[in-house]
Amino acid sequence: MNAIEQNPEWQAQQHAERPERPGDPEAVRAYRAVATAVRRASPPAPPPDLVERCRAISRREIRRQTIHRRLFTACLTAAAVAVFLLSIPGLARLAAAAAGTPWPMLLTALVLTVSGARLAGRFRPSGIDELTR
Amino acid sequence: MSDDRTIVAQALARRAGGFEALVDSHHRLVWHVLLRMVSDREEARDLTQEVFLRVHQRLGQFRFESSLATWIGRIAYSIAVRHLERKRIPLADEDSLADVADSAFCPEQVAARAGLDESVGRIMDRLSPLQRTIVSLYYFEEMTTSEIAGIADMPAGTVKSHLFRARKRLRDELQQQQWNPR
């Protein structure tokens, strides 16, 4: 038994956690005195604009998810179209010729990477404030 | 608990006003936990939004093993703890438990003194984040020690010990102020 557990007041708490209910008049008065003071000293309710921002989180999240879903669908469609076009013999040869030299390949890869990163950055929420603004 | 089920079902079904109802019924709890933990209104504002964003993302994982309030309170608490850890602010005081062995607790006498509310507010601010939060949840939100234990993820006995130590500190500091009023 540690120091706190030896304390009579702590032991009393084990039997009457919130003394308003069990009915020890002294304990009830003590509880109410502290409770009243703590309530009065407690911070007020959250600011209304904050509550409104929190309420809007659902709408904004749904919108963000919709954008992500559409972006994913668009990428998938673009890839399918590219595969289809490359399956046409003439276009495939043209693409192979373009890819024959190293620098166009590198340039194409660079442009695609930069565009992809910019596109992803535009739709990725960078912070909670931005998301809920 | 049936209210919880209705609120969760409506929010998950994305019915109009579903998530808003959840925010309306729990924003006060989240605000108090965060404000008591971090003691800074601006930080509490940002964290409150982070809590409800996480609630929105993880609501599907809520299994009704506790009340919705406890679950949301736990998310608020864990986000606040992570925030304090990042800022290297200790969660609880490192003081020994040995100095509280024999104290006669009489808050009623203390409560009868003038200017109590202001003093209690000041002293509450000086408690550790954990004790401030526990006192606030117990007296202001009127949660049981079991519910608080669910939020802070600690045994109910530990919550009672923190509550006891916080009240003792309140009493001691108020008694000191009686002799040295500000």
Side-chain angles (χ1 to χ4, degrees), chain A residues 2-4 6-10 13-14 17-21 26 29-31 33-47 49-51 53-55 57-59 61-62 64-65 128-129 131-132, chain B residues 14 19-20 23-24 27-28 31-32 35-36 41 45-46 48-50 52-53 56-57 97-98 100-103 105 107-108 111 116-117 120-121 124 135-136 138-140 142-145 157 160-161 164-165 167:
Chain A
N2 65 29
I4 275 187
Q6 287 169 12
N7 188 297
E9 198 246 327
W10 192 85
Q13 283 180 22
Q14 310 310 300
E17 181 181 278
R18 195 180 298 283
E20 274 184 323
R21 290 168 199 153
E26 276 304 306
R29 273 199 294 275
Y31 170 82
V34 178
T36 306
V38 170
R39 279 178 204 144
R40 284 184 189 159
S42 287
D49 68 307
L50 175 64
V51 177
R53 279 187 176 202
C54 293
R55 287 164 59 95
I57 281 176
S58 175
R59 293 193 292 276
E61 267 291 281
I62 290 169
R64 190 181 65 86
Q65 285 168 6
I128 187 72
D129 280 337
L131 187 69
T132 53
Chain B
R14 296 182 172 177
F19 190 75
E20 284 83 345
V23 171
D24 288 346
H27 65 74
R28 202 183 72 155
W31 176 249
H32 278 125
L35 200 55
R36 284 303 189 197
R41 285 182 71 87
R45 282 178 71 94
D46 289 346
T48 301
Q49 294 178 69
E50 192 175 335
F52 281 111
L53 180 63
H56 186 270
Q57 289 167 340
L97 302 186
V100 292
D102 59 349
S103 58
F105 185 68
E108 195 186 13
L116 175 80
D117 302 341
V120 168
M124 287 272 287
V135 168
S136 198
Y138 186 79
Y139 286 108
F140 192 82
E142 298 204 321
M143 288 186 148
T144 64
T145 48
K160 286 180 185 175
S161 297
F164 178 78
R165 290 162 68 189
R167 280 193 297 211

